[in-house]
Amino acid sequence: MKQQHLLFFGLVSLSACNDASGPPDTTNRQHWITLSAGVYHSCGITTDGSAFCWGLNPDGALGNGDPTVASVRPVRVLTDLRFTTVSVGGAFSCGLTAANRAYCWGAGSGGALGDGKNTNSAIPVAVADDHVFTQISVGFEHVCAVTPAGEAFCWGDNMFGELGDGTKVRRSIPTLVGSNTGFKSISAGNLQTCALSIQGKAFCWGGGSYGEVGVACDSVPCAWPTPQPVSGDLTFAAISA
């Protein structure tokens, strides 16, 4: 009976939404190649490399040039850039272009946009230092990315050491993670970051009061500002914080 009620509720909600906004526009429809859901909004990349976002729009998180208006439908990010991937966090977003350059938009407090400033932007801005990245991951208020050489860089809030540079200092430009380990993938979470080494070993750093860094915590709050090997000596194919 519970399943029947849930299904009925979903059908009613969808119908109500369509009635309020009209039928979807199917002209020149693009297919999605990647999607990312954050706290207040979501973004996706279409087959032609265009970025679209929808949801709440705090501080320009939708990237459409207007930092105030929310949208229940995908709106195009205001740029001529073509993206291959996008990652969404708390109130900002970042993407990698076809040239593997990083751009971010939305809330920039604490240096989250990586452009050397602490200001918001309702359109994409280039991440400083012109790094080339193979992957990018946006957390709640920080970002991490991996280079083709396996180096990890992070920027943004660093209250619990989630940037992994051995400090708790906020960074507004990409800062090298303090480790000799080569990484192949990385995932930024709320107050912590995890990454996989070239060999598939898991490392995490940042806030770990609830065990999210994967090592024992003797007292609260627990924070590790440099990468820690996750307990258990396992190897993994993928990781998500």
Side-chain angles (χ1 to χ4, degrees):
M1 182 65 69
K2 181 183 294 185
Q3 290 179 341
Q4 291 176 341
H5 283 304
L6 287 172
L7 179 60
F8 178 76
F9 175 79
L11 289 173
V12 170
S13 298
L14 181 60
S15 176
C17 182
N18 283 339
D19 288 344
S21 57
D25 182 6
T26 59
T27 59
N28 299 319
R29 173 175 289 176
Q30 293 284 331
H31 295 289
W32 301 107
I33 60 172
T34 185
L35 295 168
S36 179
V39 179
Y40 305 111
H41 69 294
S42 301
C43 295
I45 307 298
T46 59
T47 49
D48 69 350
S50 298
F52 289 83
C53 297
W54 57 95
L56 293 182
N57 195 21
D59 304 318
L62 301 188
N64 65 333
D66 187 339
T68 61
V69 180
S71 178
V72 298
R73 291 178 176 271
V75 293
R76 186 184 294 273
V77 174
L78 192 61
T79 179
D80 292 329
L81 295 166
R82 290 296 178 260
F83 294 93
T84 59
T85 189
V86 66
S87 183
V88 176
F92 69 109
S93 315
C94 295
L96 292 182
T97 69
N100 292 323
R101 306 293 184 181
Y103 287 78
C104 298
W105 57 92
S109 61
L113 302 189
D115 61 345
K117 304 175 182 178
N118 294 287
T119 55
N120 304 332
S121 179
I123 61 173
V125 293
V127 171
D129 294 342
D130 207 28
H131 290 288
V132 173
F133 296 115
T134 58
Q135 188 219 343
I136 193 167
S137 179
V138 175
F140 185 65
E141 291 185 335
H142 75 289
V143 186
C144 293
V146 175
T147 70
E151 293 178 317
F153 286 84
C154 297
W155 59 92
D157 194 36
N158 198 23
M159 183 181 298
F160 289 88
E162 51 263 49
L163 302 189
D165 66 342
T167 76
K168 294 182 181 179
V169 178
R170 289 177 172 177
R171 308 289 186 182
S172 61
I173 62 173
T175 303
L176 185 66
V177 172
S179 175
N180 293 323
T181 302
F183 296 107
K184 63 180 180 179
S185 63
I186 199 164
S187 180
N190 183 16
L191 301 174
Q192 85 285 1
T193 306
C194 292
L196 287 184
S197 71
I198 303 299
Q199 296 77 25
K201 300 291 186 181
F203 291 80
C204 296
W205 55 93
S209 297
Y210 299 99
E212 53 266 59
V213 173
V215 295
C217 176
D218 296 328
S219 60
V220 177
C222 289
W224 287 267
T226 57
Q228 305 295 309
V230 172
S231 305
D233 197 33
L234 300 168
T235 57
F236 297 97
I239 195 164
S240 178

